[in-house]
């Protein structure tokens, strides 16, 4: 049920985000609202439910690109696992901690997306020029994540994720 | 086996969720897959939401700027009248050129491919990932939009349709790193290829020999040789021409004729190539 709620919310947020970035006139900067959701489930949900939610958020992002390749579901699940592992060491369940995790995840996700884009594009994929938009993207995604935090907490209050990463 | 699956259920599920899309990505690369049922469902749900948000944002924007726009409306109207008079004169000159063009085409035996009525569409959203530069429009398969169709505005080329489902379609912008357009420099008639740089602002002018007379400010139009865009559409203006010490080709960027970050309405052109008779009749 929570999986469906998160997936529905991700779909709504991505739809709104695609309109907002157009009205803001942003060229290579985006607001990673889907990633804010992935970070949240990585810090609070159970492993299987969180992994499915991350996959769904990535799949939705992939479908929105116009050329779905499978890159974003992969990156979403990878981000989920990395955040979950880091969450064992650093507490990210407070609003501030969560904001830091969203910022770090957005930065890492953007770099990984650029790397994989560069890996498969015919002429470098414009990776260098797209890097310019990453700092603002980190800022906007963190702000969006913090704004969404109370809503996400209502869906998944889970304060006690099972310890030990995948166990 | 059952015990193994039961014991490692979680790692296996998470591993599958991680590996399946990676394999899919590595096998398909940047090309992407054909829209499946899930993709169609997602787009069917999200497109109306995007259209509603666009409508709401436009409404708020119009209300906010309405009063401001009224200031100086009189002066603006006078400027418009003057521009209109100039435009009328230009149209008359173009009519002459069009008639001459038609006579010359008839003499050369050109064949006009059938051009259906162009499809007017509204931009309802931007792709939420920065790696692929694309927009979504509110016309799709149901209205006759097909992948590969060129998309433009009165100012120039916007891009081409890469996916069309139901009532919406995705358009790859000229600035996307995968975008290639056959072009010609209007002043010198030198052929070139214009590619996207992926930064949302600039294009790259490629395959122009360094000895060609190419300058900042030269207009670039489509050549029609790529099989997608009809010839003569405005692509952009040449900037930053450079001639490196080594190499056959000069370097230059092209500023797109259309502000791709703010485009609101577009025209989708159902196949509109003009080919010499000799090229289509063998």
């Amino acid at each position: 049920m929570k999986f469906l709620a998160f997936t529905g919310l991700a779909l709504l947020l991505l739809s709104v985000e695609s309109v907002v970035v157009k009205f803001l006139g942003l060229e290579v900067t985006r607001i990673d609202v889907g990633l804010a959701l992935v970070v949240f489930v990585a810090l609070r949900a159970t492993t299987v439910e969180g992994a499915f939610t991350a996959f769904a958020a990535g799949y939705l992002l992939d479908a929105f690109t116009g050329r779905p390749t499978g890159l974003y579901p992969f990156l979403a699940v990878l981000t989920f696992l990395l955040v979950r592992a880091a969450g064992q060491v650093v507490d990210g369940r407070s609003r501030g901690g969560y904001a830091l995790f969203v910022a770090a995840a957005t930065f890492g996700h953007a770099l990984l997306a650029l790397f994989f884009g560069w890996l498969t594009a015919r002429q470098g994929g414009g990776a260098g020029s797209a890097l310019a938009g990453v700092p603002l993207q980190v800022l906007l995604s963190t702000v969006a994540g913090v704004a969404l935090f109370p809503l996400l907490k209502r869906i998944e209050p889970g304060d006690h994720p099972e310890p030990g990463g995948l166990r | 086996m059952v015990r193994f699956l039961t014991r490692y259920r979680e790692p296996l599920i998470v591993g599958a969720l991680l590996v399946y899309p990676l394999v899919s990505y590595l096998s398909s690369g940047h090309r992407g897959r054909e829209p499946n049922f899930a993709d169609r469902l997602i787009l069917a749900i999200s497109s109306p939401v995007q259209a509603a948000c666009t409508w709401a944002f436009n409404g708020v924007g119009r209300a906010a700027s309405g009063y401001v726009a009224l200031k100086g409306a009189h002066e603006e109207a006078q400027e418009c009248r003057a521009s209109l008079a100039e435009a009328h004169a230009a149209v008359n000159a173009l009519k002459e050129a069009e008639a001459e063009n038609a006579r010359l085409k008839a003499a050369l035996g050109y064949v006009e491919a059938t051009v259906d009525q162009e499809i007017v569409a509204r931009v309802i959203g931007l792709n939420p990932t920065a790696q692929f530069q694309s927009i979504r429009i509110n016309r799709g398969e149901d209205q006759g939009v097909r992948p590969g169709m060129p998309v433009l505005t009165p100012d120039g080329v916007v891009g081409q349709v890469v996916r069309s489902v139901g009532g919406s379609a995705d358009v790859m912008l000229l600035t996307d790193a995968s975008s290639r357009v056959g072009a010609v420099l209007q002043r010198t008639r030198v052929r070139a290829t214009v590619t996207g740089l992926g930064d949302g602002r600039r294009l790259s002018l490629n395959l122009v020999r360094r000895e060609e007379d190419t300058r900042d400010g030269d207009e670039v139009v489509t050549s029609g040789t790529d099989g997608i865009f009809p010839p003569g559409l405005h692509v952009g203006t040449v900037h930053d021409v450079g001639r490196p010490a080594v190499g056959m080709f000069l370097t230059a960027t092209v500023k797109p004729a259309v502000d791709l970050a703010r485009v609101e309405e577009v025209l989708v052109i159902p196949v509109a190539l003009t080919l010499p008779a000799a090229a289509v009749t063998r």
Side-chain angles (χ1 to χ4, degrees):
Chain A
M1 196 63 192
K2 283 175 190 168
F3 164 76
L4 286 177
F6 276 122
T7 306
L9 182 63
L11 183 56
L12 179 68
L13 290 173
L14 283 172
S15 303
V16 174
E17 184 219 332
S18 71
V19 180
V20 170
V21 290
K22 176 180 169 291
F23 276 89
L24 292 178
L26 300 175
E27 285 158 341
V28 289
T29 302
R30 298 291 183 266
I31 310 167
D32 265 333
V33 281
L35 204 61
L37 215 137
V38 170
V39 171
F40 187 87
V41 293
L43 293 169
R44 287 175 178 261
T46 61
T47 304
V48 172
E49 191 176 49
F52 272 110
T53 306
F55 181 86
Y59 191 93
L60 290 173
L61 189 57
D62 216 29
F64 268 75
T65 61
R67 277 174 291 169
T69 56
L71 174 63
Y72 291 101
F74 163 69
L75 288 182
V77 178
L78 184 64
T79 305
F80 167 80
L81 290 174
L82 293 175
V83 170
R84 199 164 182 83
Q88 304 299 317
V89 184
V90 184
D91 182 23
R93 276 174 284 168
S94 67
R95 191 189 284 251
Y98 170 69
L100 284 177
F101 269 98
V102 172
T106 306
F107 184 69
H109 185 269
L111 291 187
L112 282 170
L114 286 172
F115 170 72
F116 278 98
W118 168 81
L119 208 61
T120 53
R122 278 173 289 189
Q123 287 186 359
S129 45
L131 268 175
V134 173
L136 182 58
Q137 186 162 322
V138 171
L139 177 70
L140 291 175
S141 303
T142 307
V143 170
V146 171
L148 286 171
F149 188 72
L151 176 65
L152 298 174
K153 219 172 155 185
R154 283 178 72 107
I155 302 173
E156 173 60 273
D159 287 328
H160 305 288
E162 78 275 38
L166 297 179
R167 274 176 285 138
Chain B
M1 184 68 179
V2 175
R3 273 186 62 192
F4 174 81
L5 290 175
T6 310
R7 184 171 179 189
Y8 295 105
R9 188 177 66 94
E10 285 192 359
L12 287 171
I13 290 172
V14 176
L17 290 174
L18 186 68
V19 171
Y20 169 70
L22 178 63
V23 171
S24 165
Y25 174 67
L26 293 177
S27 58
S28 73
H30 62 273
R31 291 189 307 275
R33 61 169 184 268
E34 288 295 309
N36 56 30
F37 174 76
D39 295 334
R40 286 175 185 275
L41 183 66
I42 290 164
L43 297 175
I45 296 170
S46 63
S47 294
V49 177
Q50 288 175 310
C53 289
T54 303
W55 179 82
F57 275 92
N58 277 336
V60 171
R62 269 197 295 273
S65 62
Y67 175 74
V68 179
L70 279 175
K71 284 188 170 182
H74 180 66
E75 290 80 7
E76 200 176 327
Q78 281 184 326
E79 281 174 25
C80 286
R81 279 193 202 103
S83 302
L84 188 62
E86 284 174 23
H88 276 307
V91 166
N92 285 335
L94 285 173
K95 277 181 183 166
E96 288 299 314
E98 190 181 9
E100 186 185 2
N101 194 15
R103 284 198 303 276
L104 290 170
K105 274 184 177 172
L108 288 169
Y110 267 58
V111 176
E112 291 276 348
T114 308
V115 181
D116 294 334
Q117 186 68 40
E118 61 266 15
I119 301 157
V120 182
R122 178 174 282 274
V123 179
I124 55 171
L126 223 63
N127 171 3
T129 63
Q131 281 70 43
F132 302 121
Q133 303 263 314
S134 65
I135 53 174
R136 185 172 295 169
I137 57 175
N138 68 342
R139 294 285 182 268
E141 229 171 19
D142 298 346
Q143 290 79 29
V145 176
R146 299 283 179 271
M149 286 182 174
V151 178
L152 39 123
T153 72
D155 293 331
V157 180
V158 171
Q160 64 167 299
V161 177
V162 287
R163 178 179 65 181
S164 179
V165 293
S168 68
D170 290 286
V171 178
M172 178 174 71
L173 298 175
L174 284 183
T175 48
D176 186 275
S178 302
S179 167
R180 305 284 183 276
V181 179
V184 61
L185 296 170
Q186 204 168 40
R187 184 174 60 83
T188 57
R189 312 309 296 171
V190 169
R191 290 193 184 284
T193 301
V194 174
T195 62
L197 287 173
D199 66 356
R201 289 187 302 272
R202 296 171 306 152
L203 313 167
S204 171
L205 188 73
N206 298 326
L207 305 178
V208 177
R209 285 185 301 164
R210 54 182 295 118
E211 62 268 23
E212 297 288 357
D213 173 25
T214 303
R215 304 173 202 156
D216 280 17
D218 275 353
E219 298 296 338
V220 182
V221 297
T222 53
S223 63
T225 52
D226 51 24
I228 294 167
F229 296 97
L233 302 174
H234 198 192
V235 176
T237 313
V238 174
H239 286 277
D240 307 324
V241 177
R243 289 177 171 79
V246 291
M248 284 175 66
F249 304 110
L250 57 80
T251 60
T253 57
V254 176
K255 185 177 181 231
V258 180
D259 184 354
L260 298 170
R262 290 184 170 80
V263 64
E264 290 186 4
E265 275 107 20
V266 295
L267 297 170
V268 182
I269 309 295
V271 184
L273 287 177
T274 306
L275 300 168
V280 289
T281 53
R282 289 168 189 274

